[in-house]
Amino acid sequence: MNIPNKAIQVKGLQKSYKQLHVLKGVDFEVEKGSIFALLGANGAGKTTIVKILSTLLRQDSGNAIVNGFDVTLHPDNVRASISLTGQFAAVDEILTGRENLVMIARLRHLRHPRQVAGDLLKRFGLSDAADRRVATYSGGMRRRLDIAMSLVGNAQLIFLDEPTTGLDPEARLEVWKIIKELAASGVTVLLTTQYLEEAEQLADRIAILDQGRIIVSGTLADLKKLFPPAKVEYIEKQPTLEEIFLSIIGKKQNN
Ligand code: ATP
């Protein structure tokens, strides 16, 4: 079942939380090096899918292969090849940006943690703020640091769960730019979002999750084909009695 150019293959995924049947047979595939957006309303099950794919949660049935490894059979290999950025920035406020990155690099047993941190700070435009406590960062800076932290250790696939929720438009643009750069460098990105515009801006492919299943999936152009083309209508506007009256009165008064 493992296909080499696929970063993710999901088939028949089901998950219930007690009586609540959240995933009822989810199928999709993600090409390596692409950006895939999973869209859905609040509570549709997007985070549940991300948790299963990142081995934080076990599915009830169906299977998922991530970077060639089955999430149930080889969770350690899956974990070593991915990174996950959750909905809420997981950075340590008391530490500086640099200290946060060095800490993760040490936890990942990398050889030159300070160099790794320095490179990422530069890449994410955080060099100037590197030695300030994260508590003083703006929302956009935190989110950039959060994404930088998830890149420590060269993950091939990154999960971004609602990466721009709560950010102002400018910070959102910054994060979009970073996500595009990541994909351009060959990293596969699976992002979940509630913003159609975000999916439109970033994703190579979009899937919409509804009632426990993927109801549509494809490129933006594919999705647009599902809807009738925009229609331009010309309306002949008849004058109202009031307008006729006013125009006659106006003419009379002008004479
Ligand atoms: P959001 O956009 O709000 O983050 P989501 O699409 O990510 O939503 P999930 O977080 O996957 O949705 O949740 C799907 C459903 O499962 C929701 O109804 C949620 O309340 C429920 N749920 C999630 N986690 C649990 C849990 N541990 N126990 C019970 N119910 C849960």
Side-chain angles (χ1 to χ4, degrees):
M1 147 126 182
N2 178 31
I3 306 169
N5 65 340
K6 302 285 178 204
I8 301 176
Q9 296 161 258
V10 172
K11 192 117 196 83
L13 214 57
Q14 300 215 29
K15 177 72 192 174
S16 297
Y17 297 106
K18 299 208 172 97
Q19 262 76 293
L20 187 65
H21 199 177
V22 178
L23 305 180
K24 299 176 182 166
V26 169
D27 304 316
F28 67 90
E29 290 183 343
V30 179
E31 298 269 331
K32 277 191 180 155
S34 69
I35 304 182
F36 185 87
L38 196 53
L39 272 169
N42 274 136
K46 303 179 296 294
T47 303
T48 301
I49 292 178
V50 169
K51 282 187 177 164
I52 292 170
L53 295 179
S54 55
T55 78
L56 295 175
L57 193 68
R58 185 66 83 85
Q59 71 269 36
D60 298 335
S61 62
N63 48 40
I65 296 188
V66 172
N67 288 324
F69 304 108
D70 187 299
V71 292
T72 317
L73 302 176
H74 303 289
D76 292 347
N77 298 64
V78 171
R79 274 180 223 152
S81 69
I82 61 160
S83 77
L84 167 65
T85 301
Q87 279 182 33
F88 302 101
V91 293
D92 189 324
E93 304 246 325
I94 298 167
L95 301 180
T96 66
R98 192 187 308 278
E99 286 165 347
N100 266 287
L101 286 163
V102 169
M103 176 181 73
I104 300 293
R106 292 213 170 108
L107 288 172
R108 288 225 177 210
H109 305 293
L110 299 188
R111 280 231 231 110
H112 306 290
R114 290 194 72 78
Q115 191 187 326
V116 170
D119 290 347
L120 282 165
L121 288 162
K122 203 163 150 200
R123 180 166 164 200
F124 284 78
L126 290 168
S127 297
D128 289 348
D131 298 310
R132 266 168 43 198
R133 281 186 178 196
V134 170
T136 69
Y137 284 17
S138 69
M141 290 163 80
R142 267 170 220 229
R143 199 42 75 97
R144 271 189 277 155
L145 179 63
D146 206 17
I147 297 175
M149 281 165 70
S150 64
L151 291 183
V152 173
N154 292 327
Q156 302 157 41
L157 166 63
I158 155 166
F159 293 101
L160 298 171
D161 199 3
E162 302 195 8
T164 63
T165 297
L167 294 187
D168 66 33
E170 201 182 340
R172 176 165 294 159
L173 288 177
E174 273 177 30
V175 171
W176 285 357
K177 187 166 157 262
I178 285 166
I179 295 173
K180 283 180 186 162
E181 285 168 5
L182 282 181
S185 73
V187 175
T188 309
V189 178
L190 183 146
L191 65 96
T192 72
T193 184
Q194 294 177 40
Y195 304 118
L196 288 161
E197 198 201 344
E198 183 153 287
E200 223 178 314
Q201 284 288 330
L202 296 176
D204 297 302
R205 294 185 77 81
I206 299 167
I208 300 177
L209 183 68
D210 186 50
Q211 309 280 334
R213 289 193 174 85
I214 303 284
I215 51 165
V216 278
S217 112
T219 61
L220 182 62
D222 293 337
L223 264 55
K224 280 190 173 161
K225 275 190 218 139
L226 297 174
F227 297 95
K231 231 174 29 187
V232 181
E233 285 185 354
Y234 296 95
I235 300 168
E236 195 182 304
K237 195 168 172 281
Q238 301 286 349
T240 62
L241 195 56
E242 189 182 63
E243 280 165 342
I244 295 169
F245 174 78
L246 285 173
S247 120
I248 294 167
I249 296 290
K251 267 184 199 151
K252 276 206 168 151
Q253 279 174 353
N254 287 341
N255 290 339

